[in-house]
Amino acid sequence: MSFSVYLPVAGCALNIFLLLGLGGLVGFLSGLFGVGGGFLLTPLLIMIGVPPTVAAASDSNQIVAASASGTYAHARAGSVDFKMGLLLLLGGIAGGSVGVVFIKMLRALGAADFAIKITYIIMLGGVGSYMFFESLGNLRGTRAVAAGGDKSRPSVYARLVEALPWKIHFQRSRVTLSVLMPLLLGVLVGILAAIMGVGGGFIMVPVMVYLLRMPMHVVVGTSLFQILFTCINVTVLQAAVNHTVDLVLALLLLAGSVIGAQLGAKVSRRLKADQLKILMAIIVLVVMVKMLVGLLLAPDIMLAYKGGH
Amino acid sequence: MVARFVTVLLLLAAPALAGTGLTLQPERVSAGMFFAGADVVVQARVPRAEQLVFEIRGQQKTYQLKRKGKALGLLWMNVGDLEIKHAPELYLLASSVDCQQLASREELAGQGVGLPALRRQLSSDGRPLTAELFEDFLKLKQSEGLYEFRSGVVEVDGDDAGDVVTTRVVFHLPAKVPLGNHRVRVLAFNQGRGRVLYEKPLTIEQVGAARWITVVAHNHGLLYGIGAVIIALVVGLLTGFLFGLGSKGAH
């Protein structure tokens, strides 16, 4: 018995346990760090033979399950800031729309692929390195210069944040900020996510930690809450417009990922914030290095089918 | 004796005989939920001492592709889009000897057989493919198991002693095999000239739940998407609830 299952929309057969395992791994990371995992799972699915367009769309569907499961677990533990999440989501939707137009313009200029790859490398490299060294410094007790800098002389960023109007208190996150902050940062992440073709969780998490100054455990739950809605939107659109959601693939992935997400959420609550950050930084950097190596080595096949990220 | 003589005469006469003396096992390949590819046995009665080509060819399709190249002289990435037209979705060829030994390139191309015919058939931007682009396209399709060129694989039934023998080739269809009607042909080559002996369709179709899912996904995309989201939400929340019950009191 081969334990293969036929994926009718993808038009290929894959091992059931491989798909359950991949789903479990990505679900675990999702629950642990509050990322959707699309930036990791979609390339893995393409690597094992799923057509790029089907991989991206079906991945969104499984993220709905994993993020619903993770959001539920975090909400029970009181670590979801719904108010902040909604504002980021609104900004993200607006930014996503701008990003889609922007990438269409780049495609017309023939520079889209270059822009996407370079954005990936810069974002992953920058975010990963900053998180890694900052967390490493904190864990060693030699606290690096805080993002806010010298307390007696607030940084330009701190003064800008302070000057913004319409401040409200976010109880769960224990911060008082202008409504504009999550909205504008949501727009920024939405633009980047649309360019890169991912949900944006791995950009949103550092934004929440470093720019919105939210506690790490609230960041994870709130990020999952926001990803849930983003991926519901993407799944329905992909199914309706491109017919590329493979339900069998998504079901197998999500069967693994919902369990993985629960385990991830449990481990997440047992780890210190800096331990979580350094683990996520390592994963982000590994993905960045893998992508960079892929760009530097000559490919075996010089043609690829269009579609996907 | 008369019957055998008539058979040989019929086999020598082109055009192709639709099905007579050619059997496919199976003639219809069903792709259900546990389809992982299939073997198709093509069996043909042919005149002894002729070289043979068996092929399964899919429908022609236009492929939208990305070409990789170096950007900034350093990074390998997609550097442009291109379209390849008139490419068969599937092309599996098995011959008794290497195609180059069967006939000239012109004859092979004229019969629509092998790489020379494929090269002549494909086009990009209204022009024939360059040698480099043709090689790259072959590599892409071969990596998926959708193009295959094998020689020395035609089995001859050892029990046949007459002028007509039973020959057989086993083709493996990968799980990625395109759905629809494909064409199976058997050609004979003698002294550099080829002719089509047989031609028969081979159908590959989805069945059962696999077919139902594909039909709903394509014909009722919005409902399918909403259904997929509802399933994902229910599974996600249910798992969250069940795990929550297990950890009650832990927090």
Side-chain angles (χ1 to χ4, degrees), chain A residues 61-262:
Chain A
N61 194 17
Q62 80 81 21
I63 294 172
V64 171
S67 54
S69 174
T71 303
Y72 182 86
H74 281 282
R76 283 185 80 248
S79 55
V80 180
D81 190 329
F82 291 101
K83 202 196 297 181
M84 185 74 89
L86 277 173
L87 288 169
L88 286 165
L89 183 65
L90 285 174
I93 291 169
S97 309
V98 175
V100 167
V101 175
F102 185 59
I103 202 76
K104 203 173 169 184
M105 281 163 53
L106 285 173
R107 280 195 201 287
L109 292 170
D113 284 320
F114 185 75
I116 290 167
K117 298 273 181 181
I118 294 298
T119 310
Y120 251 110
I121 300 288
I122 293 171
M123 286 304 302
L124 292 173
V127 165
S129 305
Y130 186 83
M131 279 179 84
F132 182 83
F133 289 111
E134 199 253 6
S135 309
L136 193 67
N138 288 348
L139 284 172
R140 280 178 173 169
T142 56
R143 197 176 175 84
V145 178
D150 185 351
K151 294 291 174 196
S152 60
R153 284 187 20 224
S155 66
V156 176
Y157 174 74
R159 275 181 279 153
L160 183 72
V161 170
E162 196 54 41
L164 287 172
W166 305 315
K167 285 192 178 59
I168 53 170
H169 184 66
F170 296 90
Q171 203 175 346
R172 290 259 188 237
S173 301
R174 281 175 265 137
V175 290
T176 303
L177 289 168
S178 163
V179 179
L180 293 175
M181 280 291 290
L183 277 175
L184 291 174
L185 290 171
V187 170
L188 179 74
V189 174
I191 292 173
L192 287 171
I195 291 173
M196 297 162 80
V198 293
F202 74 100
I203 316 172
M204 187 59 90
V205 168
V207 162
M208 288 182 187
V209 173
Y210 296 111
L211 299 180
L212 295 174
R213 312 272 165 80
M214 292 164 63
M216 189 62 191
H217 292 93
V218 180
V219 164
V220 175
T222 310
S223 171
L224 284 174
F225 167 74
Q226 190 233 337
I227 285 166
L228 172 64
F229 287 93
T230 309
C231 286
I232 286 175
N233 183 39
V234 171
T235 304
V236 173
L237 282 177
Q238 291 276 27
V241 179
N242 298 324
H243 315 294
T244 44
V245 175
D246 193 308
L247 194 57
V248 179
L249 173 61
L251 281 174
L252 284 167
L253 291 173
L254 70 84
S257 74
V258 286
I259 295 170
Q262 289 298 323

Side-chain angles (χ1 to χ4, degrees), chain B residues 118-148:
Chain B
L118 198 60
R119 177 88 192 269
R120 187 183 280 189
Q121 186 181 327
L122 305 188
S123 68
S124 181
D125 255 346
R127 286 191 293 271
L129 267 56
T130 60
E132 188 190 1
L133 183 54
F134 182 65
E135 282 298 319
D136 288 340
F137 185 67
L138 277 186
K139 267 191 196 170
L140 178 67
K141 297 293 284 183
Q142 283 173 325
S143 71
E144 300 175 296
L146 297 177
Y147 281 18
E148 184 182 72

Side-chain angles (χ1 to χ4, degrees), chain A residues 4 6 8 11 13 49 61 65 69 72 76 113-114 239 243 245 247-248 254 258 262 266 269 295 302-306, chain B residues 32-33 35 64-66 68 76-78 81 144 175-176 206 214 217 224-225 228 232 235-236 240-241 243 247 251:
Chain A
S4 285
Y6 181 64
N61 194 17
S69 174
Y72 182 86
R76 283 185 80 248
D113 284 320
F114 185 75
H243 315 294
V245 175
L247 194 57
V248 179
L254 70 84
V258 286
Q262 289 298 323
K266 277 185 196 298
R269 287 194 291 274
L295 289 175
M302 303 300 287
L303 290 176
Y305 295 110
K306 267 179 97 170
Chain B
M33 288 309 299
F35 177 69
Q64 308 288 339
L65 301 164
K66 288 178 176 180
K68 293 179 193 290
W76 287 96
M77 55 178 65
N78 298 316
D81 296 344
E144 300 175 296
K176 241 182 178 176
Q206 288 185 340
T214 307
Y224 177 87
V235 174
F241 177 71
F243 268 76
S247 65
H251 306 293

Side-chain angles (χ1 to χ4, degrees), chain A residues 35-72:
Chain A
V35 295
F39 74 104
L40 210 61
L41 187 55
T42 303
L44 286 174
L45 288 174
I46 294 170
M47 214 184 292
I48 60 171
V50 178
T53 47
V54 179
S58 308
D59 189 15
S60 294
N61 194 17
Q62 80 81 21
I63 294 172
V64 171
S67 54
S69 174
T71 303
Y72 182 86

